[in-house]
Amino acid sequence: MTVIRNFRRILHGGDYNPDQWLHVPGTVDRDFELMDEAHCNTFSVAIFSWAQLEPEPDRFEFGWLDDIFERCGKSGKKLFLATPSASKPAWLAQRWPDSCRMDRDGTRQRWGVRQNSCFASPGFRERVRLINRKLAERYADHPALGGWHISNEYHGECACGLCRNRFYDYLKQRYGTLEKLNQVYWSAFWGHTFTDWKQVEPFDHSMDAAALDWRRFCSDAVVEFFQMEIDAVREFSDAPVTTNMMGLFPTLDYWKFAPLCDFICDDCYPTWYDGDTEREAAWLSLLHDMHYTMLDKPFVMMESCPGIPNYKPYPKLRRPGEFEREMLLALGHGADGTLYFQWRKGRNNCEKFHGAVVGHDGTDRTMVFRQVAAYGEKLERIAGLADAVKKPEAAVVYDWESNWAFEQCNCAGGKEIKQWDATVISHYRALWNCSIDLAVIDSEQDFCRYKLLVAPMLFMFKPGVLERFRSFVEQGGTLVATYFSGYVDENNGCFLGGNPGGAAGRELFGVWSEDFDGLQPTTQQSIVWKGKSYPVTDYAELLHAEGAEVEAVYGDDFYAGTPAVTRKRAGKGSVIYLGARTGMEFLNDFYGALLKESGVEPVLAGLPETVRAARRSAVSGGDYYFLYNLSNQAQPVKLPEVMEDVWNGGGAADAVTLPPSGATVLYRA
Ligand code: GLA
Ligand code: GLA
């Protein structure tokens, strides 16, 4: 099913804030002319409009929004209507001061900015339910309603008494008795035994289990609030709901948000500096693959910047090609729409210089507008892409709770070397460099649909993970795990019996990781794999093979010659353990070889060094191939067979030339 029901288009448009312009005559008229000129079809509205929609308690003004709905209905455009909870009106905070969050030190925040309300505040919750119901009741049946954009970039924590009480309820539910909590919290440590739930101090940095529970609680509190908002809307409307995610945002476990969404959407703000284009493109692709995987269907890139975001350290304009490549990265990896923040630049306040489709000149003459319009026009050539699927055979595991637990691991150095996200990205990148179709999953999913599973630094083994690893491997899968796997359980407690994962893990991996060596930049270490030496940085584990074969050994220091990479065969598959952190050179060589061995094919073979490819299969048959040029030189590409050059309207071709930093789309029936 398409993202917006019965709307078989690639969605193109953005955040639209006409309520900021009502006093400037002619602006909205001009917007709708320019929208058509830019081939835009979908907009998110009313995200920050609560104060305009309800200027005083219970006085509602929908006239301006009715007008936007009517204009969209007439011109065939769709709207993602936001619930406006991201920015509460000043009157609300005045009347319900507890709607403002409290800091950890007990200071009540003042009203202002946005996205900072207490999710537990009864007054705030009541007013959100009311405005959501009003909006849903009014627009549920409007033909221009495409879906619900619930709130905006939810996040944050509040330490007020209401939130603390909810936290204690959460603990009671999780542990049942204080005795159990004391056990799990290992509370005899430093004399922290609790005799009352309210004694538990979520900000006591010495208690790893409590800190993890607070994180989980805060993330779950947002999910609960999200559900409450959806329920209010659902009283009147069954249009699809979503909320805009923020990539790998550190404090939210987005895997728990996904089941509440009818489609996933995400906000993406990459930086195309001269530095590492490959890394940036791989990171973006990882996000897109994750968002496709979350519901196993196309998602929407809800925000991207058509110009330059106002917060980049170097506000460097995109070079020709880069804009289209960025948009096509999303479509190739599973998006059915690319939208912008925002349509028109506001005249004042902290985002007045943030890139937008229409600038302060108000015309169609800027480079940004022209790029957007040209891209929008070409999108109409690939309308058949809507709803097209991906068929990944390899998956990378990204699990927020594992990241949280590792962050609290007090013995692995500072965040400069921990680099959990960067590590997952580097493994993903080596696979992505081979232009295969990838999934990004958490550790709680079914692994058996993949041939290859890569779980970098999966520090936490939750209950059931080892069993699912085992059946995946026995059925013929190849599992790659690394240093810092299975050190703790779901409560941040260490596994007894040795790493990875205690006795059961050691048996599955065929390896015992006795200890790890934290390497200073000046410490020389390396691994020797297939006769070649590769540098090791940051971490090297001291491994003992216990039933696994040794595939690489360390090259230096007192543990030279001991195992660095091992492989245990089990059933029809095998488990590989990488004991040390290496650079991209090793990861590229290692995964290149492993993909061949595990039968995972690139979507297109024989590509030039600086070109990557992605593929989506159309529901009506045929495949769309996306080619990305990572270099700033034009790049000829010889195709393995004749394809239709749909993006450029160039007909059948057995070769194409990618523009500098550019991209294209080909179709094969
Ligand atoms: C001090 C304390 C110990 C322990 C060690 C750890 O010496 O007295 O209880 O925390 O530090 O280095
Ligand atoms: C976020 C928000 C938008 C806007 C952009 C600016 O993504 O959702 O409202 O502030 O950032 O980049």
Side-chain angles (χ1 to χ4, degrees), residues 120-248:
S121 156
F124 180 61
R125 293 172 70 92
E126 183 198 314
R127 299 310 299 193
V128 167
R129 265 196 302 267
L130 181 71
I131 185 78
N132 287 10
R133 292 175 77 255
K134 289 275 178 199
L135 286 166
E137 187 177 17
R138 191 170 187 93
Y139 298 107
D141 299 322
H142 199 288
L145 180 69
W148 290 94
H149 182 299
I150 304 289
S151 205
N152 192 67
E153 295 193 340
Y154 280 126
H155 67 279
E157 67 167 32
C158 171
C160 75
L162 293 166
C163 287
R164 276 174 183 265
N165 284 339
R166 287 179 152 218
F167 178 58
Y168 300 131
D169 290 342
Y170 177 86
L171 295 181
K172 282 179 206 160
Q173 240 194 337
R174 188 170 169 90
Y175 299 107
T177 65
L178 264 180
E179 192 192 355
K180 174 79 178 155
L181 176 133
N182 277 316
Q183 235 174 53
V184 168
Y185 277 26
W186 202 253
S187 60
F189 175 77
W190 290 0
H192 280 34
T193 306
F194 302 111
T195 54
D196 183 338
W197 295 96
K198 296 199 172 186
Q199 293 165 356
V200 179
E201 180 47 62
F203 312 125
D204 177 345
H205 62 82
S206 69
M207 296 210 81
D208 290 359
L212 179 62
D213 275 340
W214 175 256
R215 285 219 146 178
R216 272 195 198 111
F217 163 76
C218 290
S219 178
D220 289 359
V222 185
V223 174
E224 187 272 343
F225 192 86
F226 179 28
Q227 183 68 59
M228 183 208 79
E229 287 216 49
I230 294 171
D231 291 345
V233 163
R234 281 278 174 261
E235 286 181 41
F236 300 94
S237 167
D238 68 351
V241 301
T242 191
T243 190
N244 45 343
M245 300 183 178
M246 296 177 278
L248 305 179

Side-chain angles (χ1 to χ4, degrees), residues 15 48 114 152-153 244 267 269 303 309 311 341 351 354:
D15 280 23
F48 306 110
R114 62 173 181 178
N152 192 67
E153 295 193 340
N244 45 343
D267 299 345
Y269 293 95
E303 290 182 27
Y311 44 75
F341 178 86
E351 291 188 330
H354 190 288

Side-chain angles (χ1 to χ4, degrees), residues 31 33 246 290 306 380 652 667:
D31 281 334
E33 288 166 12
M246 296 177 278
M290 176 187 278
E380 288 162 9
Y667 176 75

Side-chain angles (χ1 to χ4, degrees), residues 1 17 29 57 100 152 261 301 309 355 410 448 450 476 489 492 523 653 659 669:
M1 204 198 292
N17 298 301
D29 292 336
C100 293
N152 192 67
C261 299
M301 180 157 77
N410 241 335
C448 288
Y450 307 107
D489 66 11
N492 234 340
T523 314

